[in-house]
Amino acid sequence: MTALVGILLAVCGLVIGFLIGRRTARRGAAAPARTAAPAPRPTIADLLQRVFHATDQGLAVLSKHSDVVLHNARAVELGLVGDGRIDSRAAAAAERVERDGNPLAVDLSPLDRRGRRPSAVFAQVRPLGDGFAVVEAADTSEAVRLENTRRDFVANVSHELKTPVGAMGLLAEAVLDAADDPDEVRRFGTKILNESTRMGNLVTELIALSRLTGAERLPEMQTVEIDEVVNESLARAKLSAEAAGIAFTVDEPSGLEVQGDLQLLVTALSNLLENAVAYSRSDASVSVSRRLVDDWVEIAVTDRGIGIAPEHQQRVFERFFRVDPARSRATGGTGLGLAIVKHVLANHGGEVRLWSRPGTGSTFTMRLPAAAALTVDQAEPAAIGGTT
Ligand code: ADP
């Protein structure tokens, strides 16, 4: 930024010098004509001009009456300059800058709701001396969007933590009031335990999510056997499945391999299995299958549960989004499971796909780039069979 400003000032110096020089030259005698010569090497002024036009910032140099003396194409894209005229807000700022001699920040967004103009544009207006000013505009839409996401996330986390903490406080009071009744103490004690487990799960998932979104270095990628991922995930989800009376139907081992981190992949797949159990009727079955499609390893989890309406299918991967918050809470859900799945897959160069129909069920498919050394035999999808 500082370097750019330096370059800018140099360019502007040259422009102003050029304008003043031209005025002086007009008064003086005409220069003698030169003979034709080979194309000269670019001068420093040429290079500075190129930087001026290549930068991602919208730049405009204004004269005393806010006339645009020079601007780059980006200034037009950002709406700073239109039809050769400067944006009125920038013009007003430039007049103040000329009066006070101090740089000024100005919000130029939204300039135009139509077309592909960015929605957040901020500019700095700086004096250049001799009545000239320069306006530097930048598209800050992404930064604004990230800031909004961060604020929503902090608000959601606070809300999610407040609920179990509040419940634990009330339950602890109930325990104290029922101190003489062992049955009641046991009942409230169990509820406190459930709430603290819920809070523990939430904190664990928040830590997992912050690791996955870049707060920490991810583990080194290694060759991971998909069959191991499937077996470990099934073992993790076994208790909830048994409690809900749900049987897993699993295909034959595939011998497929990917580059990745075993524990992260197990976390992702067991989240899908836990959801399949949580959002199915008891006694239903959930199937797990794996196969190679082109160069992608796919692990699909299919349930015959409540399904997800089309308008919610994108949103279920957002942090804390739940179709039915009461049901999610009742099943101990944190609302972060699918966000974690999405980020685990993204960190492996893969993706998660969803097919779902309300009343019919859902299929979540984890797709991962296959490890390079696969043989053609391994590419055959295995038949569904076996129950764990
Ligand atoms: P939660 O902890 O609430 O389950 P997730 O991020 O895992 O959070 O899922 C987000 C939401 O997506 C759930 O609250 C639920 O509404 C919906 N969902 C996830 N998996 C399924 C599924 N297999 N069937 C139906 N709905 C599901």
Side-chain angles (χ1 to χ4, degrees), residues 205 271-272 275-276 279 303 306-308 316 318 321-324 328 331-339 362 364:
E205 297 212 324
N271 281 355
L272 294 182
N275 278 351
Y279 299 103
D303 65 57
I306 59 173
I308 302 168
V316 290
E318 290 173 15
F321 177 83
R322 296 152 169 130
V323 174
D324 176 356
S328 161
T331 56
T334 58
L336 294 176
L338 289 181
S362 312
F364 285 88

Side-chain angles (χ1 to χ4, degrees), residues 34-42:
R34 291 210 186 129
T35 51
R41 282 162 60 87

Side-chain angles (χ1 to χ4, degrees), residues 323-360:
V323 174
D324 176 356
R327 178 166 183 153
S328 161
R329 267 197 195 99
T331 56
T334 58
L336 294 176
L338 289 181
I340 290 177
V341 175
K342 187 178 89 174
H343 284 287
V344 168
L345 271 299
N347 280 318
H348 283 77
E351 60 178 359
V352 54
R353 286 188 180 172
L354 167 61
W355 176 93
S356 189
R357 185 177 294 153
T360 303

Side-chain angles (χ1 to χ4, degrees), residues 228-238 265-266 269-270 273:
E228 201 179 343
V229 175
V230 172
N231 292 341
E232 271 206 37
S233 309
L234 287 167
R236 275 203 204 174
K238 198 172 167 200
L265 292 173
V266 169
L269 184 56
S270 39
L273 293 174

